[in-house]
Amino acid sequence: TTAKLATGAVNAEAIGNGAVETSAIADGSITSAKLADTVILRADRQVGDPYASLSTTSLTQYYSFTIPGGTLATRTVRVHAHGTMKNNSGSSQNFRHVVRLAGVDMHEAAGSIANDADQIVWIMRMDLSFRAAGAQFLSGEWRVSSASTSADGISNIFGMHRDGTWGNNAVAQTDSGDLALTFHQKWDTSTTNSEYKVYAINVEYV
């Protein structure tokens, strides 16, 4: 309780001048080389309620992350994201999602979304890997809920039975320099009562 810590019990005299000093953390004691040994290192995290909300029939970028030059030679870039989508336009329509590396499409997929007033929950996981110098490989999965009832389970948007899995042929980008990893989306037909929301995006070096 607050009564156990009386007012003024901790003051400047109790913590002597110089008790914690910069020399205790020597210059250069934490180096990039030591950080490189970290198994998983968070590179970026964006969250919101929502972080992004879009409704468009034009392919529109909703997130971008810059991968520093030389990173892919020693690290896999892992992205986890989730959000919701809804198509209540009056008829079913395709939703399209694109991932680009330095402006080049690495992943493009579309799936038909039935007309429904309820939202669909989506989760995306993907890994950008280094196959060789100037050759990158992207693989990942989508998991998308049903907008109808929980008994319907996971829908078959983006390709396969209950989960959509995908991978690309290697893209030849010069990874000694910075590379922009960008994410884009659109509805193919109508924006009427149609939305795509992103609530969280996490980027890690693995």
Side-chain angles (χ1 to χ4, degrees):
T1 65
T2 54
K4 292 182 180 179
L5 185 60
T7 301
V10 179
N11 51 37
E13 289 74 20
I15 304 175
N17 292 332
V20 179
E21 55 188 54
T22 56
S23 61
I25 304 175
D27 290 343
S29 62
I30 299 176
T31 64
S32 57
K34 291 178 180 177
L35 287 174
D37 292 332
T38 306
V39 177
I40 297 177
L41 184 65
R42 175 177 286 172
D44 189 37
R45 182 171 185 261
Q46 300 295 331
V47 297
D49 188 22
Y51 162 71
S53 180
L54 304 99
S55 180
T56 177
T57 53
S58 299
L59 197 61
T60 302
Q61 178 179 303
Y62 66 87
Y63 178 69
S64 177
F65 175 74
T66 300
I67 303 168
T71 300
L72 291 175
T74 58
R75 291 283 196 176
T76 292
V77 176
R78 177 166 294 167
V79 180
H80 287 186
H82 75 269
T84 61
M85 66 175 78
K86 179 175 68 175
N87 169 38
N88 195 24
S89 63
S91 61
S92 62
Q93 65 169 318
N94 279 354
F95 173 80
R96 190 172 304 273
H97 189 270
V98 174
V99 180
R100 292 174 175 165
L101 183 65
V104 176
D105 289 4
M106 295 193 77
H107 161 65
E108 180 175 355
S112 180
I113 305 293
N115 181 71
D116 200 298
D118 294 327
Q119 291 182 328
I120 295 171
V121 177
W122 62 266
I123 297 174
M124 180 187 68
R125 300 182 178 94
M126 51 151 279
D127 291 329
L128 177 63
S129 305
F130 179 86
R131 197 179 77 173
Q136 301 83 28
F137 179 78
L138 186 69
S139 61
E141 65 178 4
W142 281 83
R143 293 187 175 182
V144 186
S145 74
S146 169
S148 299
T149 67
S150 59
D152 290 334
I154 305 300
S155 69
N156 63 356
I157 186 176
F158 300 122
M160 301 180 69
H161 183 49
R162 292 180 179 272
D163 296 331
T165 59
W166 40 272
N168 74 300
N169 294 324
V171 173
Q173 295 288 10
T174 303
D175 38 45
S176 58
D178 293 353
L179 294 173
L181 183 65
T182 59
F183 297 79
H184 313 254
Q185 62 75 53
K186 74 166 189 168
W187 294 99
D188 273 3
T189 307
S190 173
T191 61
T192 303
N193 299 322
S194 301
E195 63 185 27
Y196 178 77
K197 293 183 178 181
V198 184
Y199 286 90
I201 301 177
N202 291 282
V203 183
E204 299 171 339
Y205 296 142
V206 180

